[in-house]
C-alpha cells in the first residue's frame, strides 16, 4: 500500500499491522471517514458523480503508469496466477482446481477461455480489439470507493491488483452501475459507451458467480 502512496496521488489507507490467527489473516489499517460510492449513488448529484468519475479515470491512468517491470502475462503483480475474489472457488464449485488458475494467463485468448469454461457459456468474445494487458486495480466497484463531501477519500481492496485486459477495469464499473441510472450516465460521459466486450463479461461473471439451483 505504501508503494501506491509513493508513486500516485490515489488515497490509500495506511497499513499498520497484518497478522494471522487461527487460519484467518487480519489487517489493521487507517480508519477512513466516509461512505461507499455504492451507498452514495442516490444522494450525490450528477455533477458530484461526474467529478468522482473523472477522479477514477485519473487514478486508472496513474495505475497503468506505475514503475513496475512490464509483464508479458496476465495475473497477479508478482507474475503469478490471480489469487483474488474473482478467481477463487465458490462453495458450490464441484472441482476447485478447475476454478483457481494454476498459472498466469499467457494471453487474453487464454484469459477469455478461462471465463468461457468457468461460466459454461458459448458466446463470442472479441480477441483482437481488446488484447492489450495493463496494470489494473481490478475491482473499482462502488463498494471499494470511499466518498466524503463529493470527493474520493479512499480506494480499498487492493488484493485484486494485477495485469488484466484493458477492458476489465471499466467492465467492473459498468457491472456495478446497474444500480444507478445517474452513475451509468456519468460512466458513458467519462469512459465512452458500454461495449459488447463489457456486456459479454458482465454476463460471464454473473453466470459464474450465481449459485446453481439444486432439486
Amino acid at each position: 500500500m505504501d508503494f501506491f502512496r509513493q508513486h500516485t496521488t490515489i488515497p490509500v489507507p495506511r497499513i499498520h499491522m497484518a497478522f494471522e490467527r487461527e487460519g484467518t489473516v487480519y489487517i489493521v489499517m487507517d480508519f477512513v471517514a466516509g461512505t461507499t460510492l455504492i451507498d452514495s449513488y442516490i444522494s450525490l448529484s450528477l455533477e458530484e458523480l461526474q467529478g468522482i468519475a473523472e477522479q477514477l479515470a485519473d487514478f486508472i491512468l496513474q495505475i497503468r503508469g506505475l514503475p513496475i517491470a512490464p509483464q508479458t502475462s496476465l495475473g497477479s503483480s508478482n507474475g503469478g496466477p490471480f489469487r483474488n475474489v474473482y478467481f477463487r472457488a465458490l462453495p458450490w464449485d464441484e472441482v476447485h482446481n478447475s476454478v483457481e488458475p494454476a498459472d498466469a494467463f499467457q494471453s487474453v485468448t487464454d484469459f477469455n477461455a478461462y471465463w468461457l469454461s468457468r461460466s459454461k457459456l458459448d458466446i463470442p468474445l472479441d480477441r483482437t480489439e481488446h488484447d492489450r494487458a495493463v496494470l489494473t486495480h481490478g475491482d473499482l466497484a462502488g463498494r471499494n470507493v470511499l466518498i466524503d463531501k463529493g470527493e474520493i477519500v479512499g480506494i480499498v481492496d487492493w488484493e485484486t491488483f494485477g495485469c488484466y485486459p484493458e477492458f476489465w477495469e471499466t467492465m467492473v464499473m459498468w457491472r456495478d452501475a446497474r444500480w444507478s441510472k445517474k452513475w451509468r450516465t456519468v460512466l458513458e460521459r467519462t469512459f465512452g459507451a458500454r461495449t459488447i466486450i463489457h456486456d459479454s463479461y458482465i454476463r460471464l461473471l454473473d453466470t459464474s458467480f450465481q449459485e446453481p439451483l439444486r432439486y
Side-chain angles (χ1 to χ4, degrees):
M1 304 287 266
D2 287 339
F3 174 81
F4 298 111
R5 267 197 310 278
Q6 292 169 5
H7 296 283
T8 74
T9 62
I10 301 171
V12 180
R14 186 182 301 276
I15 293 179
H16 299 281
M17 181 189 303
F19 61 93
E20 183 176 346
R21 178 175 295 173
E22 297 179 355
T24 300
V25 176
Y26 297 88
I27 298 176
V28 180
M29 65 175 65
D30 288 345
F31 172 76
V32 180
T35 58
T36 62
L37 176 58
I38 197 169
D39 289 328
S40 307
Y41 287 146
I42 295 175
S43 60
L44 292 174
S45 68
L46 199 63
E47 290 71 22
E48 288 174 317
L49 287 172
Q50 181 66 51
I52 289 166
E54 290 172 1
Q55 290 179 69
L56 288 173
D58 176 59
F59 294 166
I60 289 171
L61 290 177
Q62 291 188 54
I63 291 170
R64 292 179 180 180
L66 283 168
I68 295 177
Q71 291 183 225
T72 57
S73 58
L74 289 83
S76 299
S77 58
N78 62 6
F82 288 113
R83 288 290 181 263
N84 62 58
V85 63
Y86 286 104
F87 298 88
R88 194 169 294 145
L90 300 170
W92 54 83
D93 288 317
E94 296 179 358
V95 183
H96 284 206
N97 289 340
S98 67
V99 173
E100 298 178 352
D103 300 294
F105 300 107
Q106 296 307 306
S107 66
V108 175
T109 298
D110 292 342
F111 186 89
N112 290 340
Y114 165 85
W115 284 106
L116 289 170
S117 173
R118 179 169 179 178
S119 67
K120 297 180 174 58
L121 292 178
D122 183 15
I123 57 177
L125 292 175
D126 187 334
R127 290 179 167 84
T128 56
E129 184 180 354
H130 304 277
D131 62 355
R132 192 164 80 102
V134 295
L135 290 173
T136 304
H137 174 280
D139 196 12
L140 285 180
R143 63 184 175 275
N144 294 326
V145 181
L146 299 175
I147 306 296
D148 187 41
K149 298 177 183 177
E151 297 287 328
I152 297 177
V153 293
I155 299 292
V156 298
D157 200 2
W158 288 84
E159 70 155 355
T160 51
F161 175 70
C163 193
Y164 293 76
E166 189 172 14
F167 62 78
W168 183 271
E169 200 87 276
T170 49
M171 180 278 298
V172 170
M173 296 166 69
W174 275 113
R175 184 169 180 252
D176 195 57
R178 70 185 80 190
W179 313 117
S180 171
K181 182 178 180 180
K182 285 192 296 184
W183 187 233
R184 292 195 298 273
T185 298
V186 165
L187 286 183
E188 184 164 354
R189 286 180 182 174
T190 309
F191 298 99
R194 181 167 152 170
T195 66
I196 293 175
I197 198 71
H198 289 139
D199 290 339
S200 297
Y201 260 87
I202 289 171
R203 185 180 170 194
L204 289 171
L205 266 61
D206 286 348
T207 302
S208 298
F209 298 147
Q210 182 178 5
E211 183 173 4
L213 294 175
R214 302 189 186 277
Y215 298 95

